Amino acid sequence: MSSTELNCPDLGRALCIITGASRGFGRTIAREMSRLVKPRSVLVLAARSADDLRALQAELVESEAGVAGLVVKCVVADLGQLEGQESVIRGSKEAFSEDIDHIILVNNAASLGDVSRYAKSFTNMAEVDSYLSFNVSSSLCLTASVLQAFPQRPGVKRTVINITSLCALQPFRSWVLYCTGKAAREMMFRVLAEEEPDLRVLNYSPGPLDTAMYTEARSRTADPNLRKSFSDSFAQGQVLTCETSCAKLMKLLLEDTYTSGAHIDVFDL
Ligand code: NDP
C-alpha cells in the first residue's frame, strides 16, 4: 500500500498507545504505526513481557523504515490490575509533547479464556470476574482514563480502536468467555461513539491470525467441530498473517472515512 494513494498520507504527529504490543497483532500494529506517523511521534507499548517489549522498542528505534526522532516507550504492566492501568497513563503523559496532533489508543490486548470447557461448567464467579475484569473492564477504564488525560482540544484528533472479533457478533460453542467479552467490549465502544461525536471510534475485526492465540484456539477448543474448523483453516492456509490484516487496518485509519463506532471486518475490505 502506498500512503500517498490515500486521503491522508500519514497518521500525523501521533501519540499511539498500543496494548498487547509484546507479540502477535499488537506488535505488528506497533511496527506499522511507526512507519506511518510523522517525525517526533511517540509510541507507548504496553504488555506484561518486559523482554519482548524492549526487543520491539530497540527494533523500532533502530529501524531504517521508522520516522526520524520516533520516541518508543515501554510500559510493563498487567492491564487487569489498577497499577497497570495507572502506569500506562503515567507513561503516556510523560511521553506527551505539545506538538502532538493525534492521540491514538489501540485496545488490542485480550485473552482467549478457558475454551476447553462448555458454558455449563463456569460455576466459579471469581474465574468469570477475573476474565471479564481484564477483557472488558480494563479496556473501558483505560479508554476513559486516556480520554480524561488527553481531553478534546482544537487541532487534536483522537482515535480509539477496539480489536474485536466475529465472536462479538456470533456465538461459538465452548467459547463462552471470549464471545461474551468481545460482545460486551464492542458495545462499550459503540456507546462511546454515540456519546462522543468528536472521537473516531473503530471496532476492527482482524480475521483469523497466525498468532499464539490462534494456536491455543486450535489445540484447546472443546467443541470438536469448531476445533477441526480451526485446524482445517490453518492447514489450508486460510489464516492471515498479522501483516496482511494490519495493512487493512492502517488503510482504514489513513482513509478515515469509516462511520464512528462501526464494526469493520477484514473480509469486508
Ligand atoms: P496474542 O495472545 O498473541 O497476544 C495477546 C497480547 O495481549 C500479548 O501482547 C499479551 O502480552 C497481551 N496481554 C495478555 N494479557 C495481558 C495482560 N493481563 N496485561 C497486559 N497485556 C496482556 O493474541 P493476538 O495477537 O492473536 O490477538 C490480538 C487481538 O486480536 C486480541 O484482541 C484478539 O482477541 C484479537 N483477535 C485475534 C484473532 C486471532 O485469530 N488471533 C482473531 C480475531 C481477533 P503479555 O503476555 O506480554 O502481557
Side-chain angles (χ1 to χ4, degrees):
M1 167 189 54
S2 155
S3 58
T4 50
E5 293 162 13
L6 302 162
N7 287 357
C8 180
D10 58 56
L11 294 170
R13 181 150 300 129
L15 168 66
C16 309
I17 305 164
I18 305 165
T19 68
S22 60
R23 60 168 193 261
F25 197 51
R27 183 171 58 185
T28 305
I29 293 172
R31 284 185 178 135
E32 294 302 314
M33 283 192 164
S34 75
R35 299 187 184 115
L36 291 171
V37 290
K38 280 201 172 120
R40 301 199 312 282
S41 289
V42 179
L43 258 57
V44 176
L45 311 176
R48 294 166 301 176
S49 310
D51 290 350
D52 292 340
L53 287 180
R54 300 226 166 86
L56 179 62
Q57 178 187 41
E59 175 197 316
L60 297 182
V61 168
E62 285 157 22
S63 164
E64 304 266 307
V67 295
L70 180 73
V71 175
V72 182
K73 193 167 176 109
C74 299
V75 180
V76 180
D78 181 343
L79 291 166
Q81 304 295 324
L82 180 61
E83 310 84 72
Q85 301 254 319
E86 287 170 350
S87 331
V88 175
I89 298 301
R90 201 166 46 245
S92 303
K93 280 183 168 169
E94 281 165 11
F96 179 79
S97 64
E98 284 303 318
D99 56 355
I100 295 282
D101 59 20
H102 194 179
I103 310 283
I104 304 176
L105 169 63
V106 188
N107 283 284
N108 165 77
S111 61
L112 196 54
D114 189 350
V115 290
S116 72
R117 291 148 57 203
Y118 292 96
K120 67 182 178 194
S121 77
F122 286 89
T123 50
N124 181 341
M125 268 178 71
E127 180 187 10
V128 177
D129 285 350
S130 160
Y131 181 84
L132 294 176
S133 175
F134 165 50
N135 285 280
V136 181
S137 314
S138 86
S139 148
L140 171 55
C141 296
L142 181 68
T143 303
S145 301
V146 166
L147 295 178
Q148 285 188 22
F150 305 104
Q152 184 182 8
R153 282 200 325 181
V156 178
K157 184 167 148 183
R158 298 185 303 167
T159 302
V160 176
I161 300 147
N162 173 37
I163 303 302
T164 187
S165 163
L166 184 59
C167 296
L169 310 178
Q170 278 183 29
F172 289 91
R173 289 170 189 222
S174 67
W175 280 41
V176 67
L177 291 182
Y178 191 78
C179 292
T180 303
K182 285 297 189 197
R185 185 158 144 165
E186 183 159 323
M187 181 52 81
M188 182 197 107
F189 285 96
R190 288 175 60 192
V191 170
L192 186 67
E194 292 289 325
E195 288 178 352
E196 307 290 335
D198 72 292
L199 271 188
R200 301 287 292 139
V201 181
L202 174 63
N203 288 296
Y204 178 68
S205 178
L209 301 173
D210 188 6
T211 65
M213 189 180 280
Y214 198 85
T215 305
E216 201 182 337
R218 275 196 293 140
S219 55
R220 291 187 51 81
T221 294
D223 184 74
N225 294 332
L226 186 58
R227 194 171 63 245
K228 183 171 183 313
S229 81
F230 289 133
S231 294
D232 289 350
S233 298
F234 189 75
Q236 290 158 14
Q238 289 162 353
V239 175
L240 306 176
T241 63
C242 289
E243 288 72 21
T244 302
S245 183
C246 191
K248 298 210 171 170
L249 170 59
M250 293 305 127
K251 189 164 182 287
L252 278 171
L253 296 179
L254 291 167
E255 286 178 346
D256 202 24
T257 51
Y258 60 85
T259 303
S260 191
H263 171 112
I264 302 184
D265 191 284
V266 65
F267 296 117
D268 299 336
L269 300 166

